[in-house]
Amino acid sequence: MESVSKISTLVDPARDLTVEAAQAVGAKLKNGSSSRNIPFVKMKALLDSRSDRDIIDGLKRVISMIYQNKPCLPYFSSVVKNVANPNLEVKKLVYVYLLHYAESDPDLALLSVNAIQKSLSDQNPQVRAMALRTMAGMRIPVISQIVSLAIKRGVTDLSPLVRKAAALAIPKCYALDPNTLPLLIDNLSVLLSDKQYYVVGPAAQTFLQLCPDRIDLLHKHYRGLVKKVVDMDEWGQLATLHLLLTYSRKCFPRRRQKFTKVNKKGFYEDENDEVEETEEDSVLIDSDLNLLLKACQILLQNRNPAIVVAAASCLLYLGTEEHIKTTIGPLIALLRTSTEVQQVVLPNIVLIALKHAQLFVPYTTHFVISDRDPSEVWRLKMEMLTLIFPHANSHLKELILNEFDNFSRGSNVEQTQEAVRAIGRCAQHDSRSSSRCYKVLLAQMTSFDNVLVSEVLTVMRHLIQQDPQAHRKTIIRLSRNLDRTTSPEARATIIWLVGEFTGVDPDNNIAPDVLRILAKGFADESVEAKQQIVLLAAKVYLQYLQAQQRLSENQHAENGTEINDVENTTKQLDSNDVIPKIWTYLLTLVRYDTSYDLRDRMRLFRALLADPSSTQLASLLILAPKPVPHTPSPSAHRQDLALGSSTLALGRNIAGINGLPGYAGLPDWVEEGHEPDPKLRDEADGSKEEYVSQASKVSTVAASQRIDEAIKEQGLEKVVKGSGKSKTLDDWLEESEDEEEETETEEEEDTSSGEEASESEEDESESEDPQQRLMPS
């Protein structure tokens, strides 16, 4: 225990000292005292020093001042003269300074161009790449020709790092001098055919900036881009996918073919089958386009959400429904990431669901709303649930309605209104579940929240207008809630519904009774409710006049009385009925009302209904049928926007009608017969001579071609032609085999004769006298 206490007594002061030091360093960095306390003379002394350590210290202080928005132009001459320093770290810092201040003092910056040009020949590829990047980013128009030559030299460099820098420098060179465009396009075409995906990705980005309409340049590079897009970096993949999407829409026509059904007649092969063409058709995918679709399916597993969305856009706009199915899972997986990613991915998911909502039914639970979701997220989730609702089963429909019912009773006003609107859209899109939606809405009519009740009634009004005959009891039930409803908007909506559908069921017309009750408290109503009461009174009185006119005409037809007698009868009936008295009572009340708008409306209705025998004009104005409202999905205005674009994520309300600057819509499919020749891609595929060695070229030459070349070299064309017919490759091979057999037989004969000769010599030598063999010659 004592050792532990001793250690703690030693550690505590050290910990306090470390914390104090960290706080001091943090305050020092926060206040920028590392560069503020050094005077100008000392800073120049550091930059003019012969020690690389001092120079690096001075350059770091200057760069820190740049990012603190402090003036650093007085150090320009001292910094630029270090451009020839062989130290790599010094070069990096000097190049950063030049990129910021070369445009401010171009005359002094020109002094460093010669040293930067020398760095283009350095042995270190990193130095060459930095030099090229710095020269292109200095923004001095005088050196545009030097920059173009440096790019041309960097395009053929052995290091892919330098070639990548050359690809990124091309747009900067074009900004300096647009006249260099033809030369830059030639260099860009070379970079697009590079074997390194590390270079092709930046080249695709440059193509989109420099000449996005030159699709003819991509024919010979299309297959190479498709093969390399999987291995590129994220920025290169985004640019390449966008480029290939545009190319595919302009170069591959959309072909369709009808399904054929084969009916087999019998068992034997000689019996012909019956082929029938069905009305269904399928999309024919080009083989080159299929390569791109397969690459996009691989990219759906990328860890970058932007790449996943870009690959999904290619599959959506280029593939079939089977390809679209493969995009749903990866897009849903992005909803498990951060909130910022969800805000960007959800608009793209909604865009797909507007056309293919049935594909998202298995993923319904992923769109359940959380209390932590921001406004942009839960709005889009509610919209997704309404789009899925018509295609879901009964269990999921109940889940979705319970979700909306729960949020409609919450404390968030915006969430409450949006949930009620979502229930209305569910009932509108699925008539079979409309009764369940009505029960949920009617249950909320007893709420004390005026905002909720007003929104519920607005939604119900839209639904009732779609089928008034099926909702007669609903109107009666709503009219009973007038005594408990205090919201002016809600009362006005109910009164409008009662007046609008007074003639739907003449036997159960409750409009006169409702008008009689409302007329008693007319003076205490709001302006909105008064306007609807006056309109209701005009409709009830107009229908009363039409009924009296029909009754008088029937009496005239039965009794044969004259028209004047009919008018007298009508006037006599008017004085004995309650409806004209209520109409006259309301006319008197409105005449002294404070609202001039209400008084003007009443004058209009009184003038229209002044003559009881002429109600045609009043009927056209007051009882005219209203158009059936249709509530579209909130994201319906984004339906024509491109998937994966920033304009889609923000919406036209923020981005504007034409979208953000630089937004370009999706090009149309090329018409069949107007597409470029597919052989352009085939010729390019076999013409990459720079990637094939000479030995492989010789080994791949056909045998017949070798024979023809040998005949031409030896001048035997006439001999071959004079033989009567041209020899094929098989004939030549047979002759060569015969020659080989002849040579083998000759060799066997030579060997056998040699063996016989050697045997005879041995016999002769044995028959000689041994003494003769020993005698010297």
Side-chain angles (χ1 to χ4, degrees):
M1 294 296 292
E2 292 180 358
S3 60
V4 173
S5 61
K6 289 181 181 179
I7 293 173
S8 62
T9 55
L10 294 174
V11 170
D12 291 339
R15 184 187 298 112
D16 297 337
L17 181 62
T18 305
V19 172
E20 291 176 0
Q23 292 176 353
V25 172
K28 188 176 181 180
L29 293 175
K30 184 177 180 181
N31 298 328
S33 59
S34 60
S35 59
R36 185 178 62 183
N37 296 336
I38 296 180
F40 175 77
V41 178
K42 187 175 180 180
M43 185 74 77
K44 287 185 67 67
L46 288 174
L47 297 174
D48 296 337
S49 175
R50 294 184 179 180
S51 173
D52 290 345
R53 183 176 180 181
D54 294 339
I55 295 173
I56 292 172
D57 186 21
L59 288 173
K60 287 182 177 180
R61 294 176 186 274
V62 172
I63 299 301
S64 66
M65 292 173 64
I66 292 175
Y67 292 110
Q68 294 174 9
N69 295 325
K70 294 182 179 180
C72 299
L73 194 59
Y75 306 108
F76 196 94
S77 58
S78 300
V79 173
V80 168
K81 68 181 182 180
N82 291 312
V83 72
N85 194 308
N87 192 312
L88 181 60
E89 191 171 358
V90 173
K91 283 181 178 293
K92 289 181 181 179
L93 296 173
V94 173
Y95 289 162
V96 171
Y97 183 87
L98 284 173
L99 290 175
H100 281 83
Y101 286 101
E103 193 175 7
S104 302
D105 195 349
D107 295 334
L108 283 175
L110 288 174
L111 299 177
S112 63
V113 173
N114 189 20
I116 296 175
Q117 278 185 292
K118 291 181 180 179
S119 298
L120 293 173
S121 303
D122 195 276
Q123 294 182 355
N124 190 347
Q126 189 176 2
V127 174
R128 299 199 301 270
M130 285 194 305
L132 181 56
R133 190 182 304 115
T134 304
M135 188 178 294
M138 289 173 67
R139 298 187 295 275
I140 302 177
V142 180
I143 63 172
S144 61
Q145 296 297 328
I146 300 176
V147 174
S148 62
L149 293 176
I151 292 173
K152 185 177 180 180
R153 184 176 180 178
V155 166
T156 58
D157 197 280
L158 296 177
S159 173
L161 186 65
V162 182
R163 298 200 297 272
K164 177 183 177 181
L168 297 175
I170 288 177
K172 301 175 183 178
C173 182
Y174 175 73
L176 293 176
D177 187 7
N179 295 325
T180 59
L181 181 61
L183 179 61
L184 296 177
I185 289 179
D186 294 339
N187 296 331
L188 180 60
S189 181
V190 175
L191 292 171
L192 286 172
S193 61
D194 199 283
K195 293 185 290 186
Q196 294 287 336
Y197 62 87
Y198 188 75
V199 181
V200 178
Q205 300 179 44
T206 301
F207 185 90
L208 290 176
Q209 299 178 28
L210 193 66
C211 51
D213 297 330
R214 292 292 305 274
I215 300 297
D216 57 304
L217 298 176
L218 297 176
H219 295 314
K220 56 184 178 180
H221 308 301
Y222 171 79
R223 292 176 182 170
L225 290 172
V226 172
K227 294 175 183 177
K228 296 165 188 164
V229 68
V230 181
D231 300 322
M232 294 180 185
D233 61 294
E234 283 84 356
W235 292 106
Q237 286 175 341
L238 285 175
T240 306
L241 287 175
H242 179 66
L243 182 61
L244 293 175
L245 173 60
T246 305
Y247 177 87
S248 301
R249 300 274 294 193
K250 292 183 177 180
C251 297
F252 299 110
R254 198 69 164 175
R255 296 187 178 95
R256 291 185 174 274
Q257 183 181 10
K258 290 186 177 181
F259 285 116
T260 57
K261 183 179 180 181
V262 179
N263 297 326
K264 293 187 176 181
K265 289 185 176 181
F267 177 78
Y268 299 101
E269 294 181 354
D270 56 350
E271 295 182 4
N272 296 327
D273 298 332
E274 183 180 355
V275 179
E276 296 180 0
E277 288 189 359
T278 60
E279 296 181 357
E280 299 179 357
D281 58 352
S282 61
V283 179
L284 295 178
I285 302 296
D286 190 272
S287 58
D288 287 336
L289 180 59
N290 195 28
L291 293 176
L292 175 58
L293 296 176
K294 289 181 179 179
C296 292
Q297 288 177 339
I298 297 174
L299 290 176
L300 289 174
Q301 310 302 324
N302 198 289
R303 62 181 181 181
N304 193 326
I307 305 301
V308 176
V309 174
S313 66
C314 291
L315 293 171
L316 174 65
Y317 295 126
L318 301 177
T320 60
E321 188 170 356
E322 296 297 326
H323 294 99
I324 299 174
K325 287 181 181 179
T326 60
T327 65
I328 307 302
L331 289 174
I332 296 296
L334 297 178
L335 298 179
R336 305 190 191 99
T337 56
S338 62
T339 306
E340 293 77 10
V341 175
Q342 292 183 27
Q343 294 179 10
V344 178
V345 173
L346 275 172
N348 297 278
I349 293 177
V350 172
L351 181 63
I352 299 176
L354 288 173
K355 297 181 180 179
H356 308 279
Q358 69 278 3
L359 301 179
F360 291 91
V361 173
Y363 306 96
T364 304
T365 55
H366 290 79
F367 301 102
V368 175
I369 302 167
S370 174
D371 295 335
R372 296 173 294 178
D373 290 338
S375 174
E376 296 81 3
V377 173
W378 61 254
R379 286 179 187 275
L380 292 170
K381 284 187 176 181
M382 282 188 179
E383 185 176 2
M384 278 299 303
L385 292 176
T386 57
L387 293 173
I388 295 172
F389 185 83
H391 308 278
N393 53 32
S394 58
H395 173 70
L396 291 178
K397 287 180 179 179
E398 191 69 22
L399 173 66
I400 293 172
L401 288 177
N402 290 336
E403 184 79 3
F404 291 153
D405 188 16
N406 179 35
F407 282 98
S408 65
R409 302 176 187 273
S411 58
N412 191 339
V413 178
E414 294 182 358
Q415 206 169 42
T416 298
Q417 293 177 342
E418 193 64 31
V420 172
R421 293 169 190 161
I423 295 174
R425 291 197 300 271
C426 290
Q428 174 182 308
H429 296 154
D430 188 9
S431 58
R432 295 174 296 178
S433 304
S434 59
S435 60
R436 176 72 177 90
C437 297
Y438 276 110
K439 290 180 181 179
V440 175
L441 293 174
L442 289 173
Q444 297 172 349
M445 286 294 299
T446 58
S447 175
F448 295 99
D449 189 357
N450 292 333
V451 176
L452 174 60
V453 175
S454 301
E455 195 64 38
V456 167
L457 286 172
T458 302
V459 172
M460 293 190 69
R461 175 173 62 85
H462 292 169
L463 297 176
I464 291 172
Q465 282 184 265
Q466 295 179 4
D467 190 6
Q469 295 289 344
H471 301 94
R472 291 176 294 177
K473 294 182 179 180
T474 305
I475 298 174
I476 296 174
R477 184 172 178 179
L478 291 175
S479 62
R480 292 175 182 173
N481 292 325
L482 274 172
D483 296 337
R484 293 176 291 181
T485 304
T486 58
S487 174
E489 294 81 4
R491 292 181 64 85
T493 302
I494 295 175
I495 296 169
W496 183 88
L497 284 172
V498 173
E500 183 66 20
F501 304 106
T502 52
V504 173
D505 190 4
D507 298 333
N508 297 320
N509 192 0
I510 62 172
D513 292 334
V514 174
L515 178 62
R516 177 179 56 82
I517 296 171
L518 293 173
K520 295 179 181 179
F522 181 82
D524 299 330
E525 296 284 352
S526 62
V527 177
E528 295 86 353
K530 286 181 180 180
Q531 292 176 357
Q532 297 302 325
I533 291 172
V534 169
L535 180 60
L536 175 62
K539 291 179 179 180
V540 171
Y541 184 62
L542 175 59
Q543 291 177 351
Y544 168 78
L545 293 178
Q546 290 176 346
Q548 293 299 322
Q549 189 174 1
R550 288 193 298 268
L551 181 61
S552 300
E553 289 176 355
N554 293 335
Q555 291 179 357
H556 169 70
E558 293 177 359
N559 302 330
T561 56
E562 297 180 357
I563 299 176
N564 295 331
D565 297 337
V566 174
E567 293 178 357
N568 294 332
T569 305
T570 304
K571 293 179 180 179
Q572 187 176 3
L573 292 172
D574 287 347
S575 60
N576 297 327
D577 208 333
V578 179
I579 294 178
K581 293 179 180 180
I582 297 176
W583 173 251
T584 305
Y585 175 69
L586 288 176
L587 286 176
T588 306
L589 290 178
V590 174
R591 183 177 181 182
Y592 299 101
D593 197 89
T594 57
S595 175
Y596 62 87
D597 187 16
L598 188 61
R599 295 196 302 269
D600 292 342
R601 291 191 182 201
M602 199 55 160
R603 290 192 189 98
L604 173 63
F605 295 148
R606 184 175 58 186
L608 289 172
L609 301 174
D611 186 5
S613 62
S614 178
T615 59
Q616 291 82 4
L617 181 59
S619 179
L620 289 175
L621 292 177
I622 299 175
L623 299 179
K626 308 298 187 297
V628 178
H630 180 77
T631 306
S633 185
S635 297
H637 65 281
R638 305 184 185 183
Q639 195 166 1
D640 58 337
L641 297 177
L643 189 76
S645 61
S646 301
T647 303
L648 173 64
L650 296 175
R652 293 192 184 275
N653 298 331
I654 300 175
I657 298 176
N658 298 324
L660 295 174
Y663 171 76
L666 194 68
D668 297 330
W669 285 100
V670 63
E671 296 182 2
E672 190 170 359
H674 295 80
E675 72 274 10
D677 190 0
K679 293 181 180 179
L680 295 173
R681 294 185 290 273
D682 296 337
E683 293 174 0
D685 234 21
S687 62
K688 296 181 179 180
E689 299 179 357
E690 62 271 16
Y691 305 130
V692 183
S693 61
Q694 296 295 331
S696 60
K697 285 184 181 180
V698 174
S699 61
T700 56
V701 176
S704 59
Q705 185 176 353
R706 291 185 184 180
I707 294 172
D708 294 336
E709 292 177 356
I711 291 172
K712 291 180 180 179
E713 291 176 359
Q714 298 179 7
L716 301 176
E717 294 91 342
K718 296 181 179 179
V719 177
V720 174
K721 291 181 180 179
S723 61
K725 64 176 182 178
S726 60
K727 294 185 179 181
T728 62
L729 177 62
D730 297 333
D731 298 336
W732 288 103
L733 293 175
E734 289 178 358
E735 291 183 359
S736 61
E737 290 177 358
D738 295 339
E739 291 177 356
E740 290 177 357
E741 292 177 356
E742 292 177 358
T743 54
E744 289 177 358
T745 54
E746 290 178 356
E747 290 176 357
E748 291 177 356
E749 292 177 356
D750 294 339
T751 54
S752 60
S753 61
E755 291 176 356
E756 293 176 354
S758 59
E759 289 177 358
S760 61
E761 289 178 357
E762 290 177 358
D763 295 339
E764 291 177 357
S765 59
E766 289 177 357
S767 60
E768 289 179 354
D769 190 1
Q771 295 180 358
Q772 292 179 356
R773 286 186 293 176
L774 294 175
M775 289 177 63
S777 58

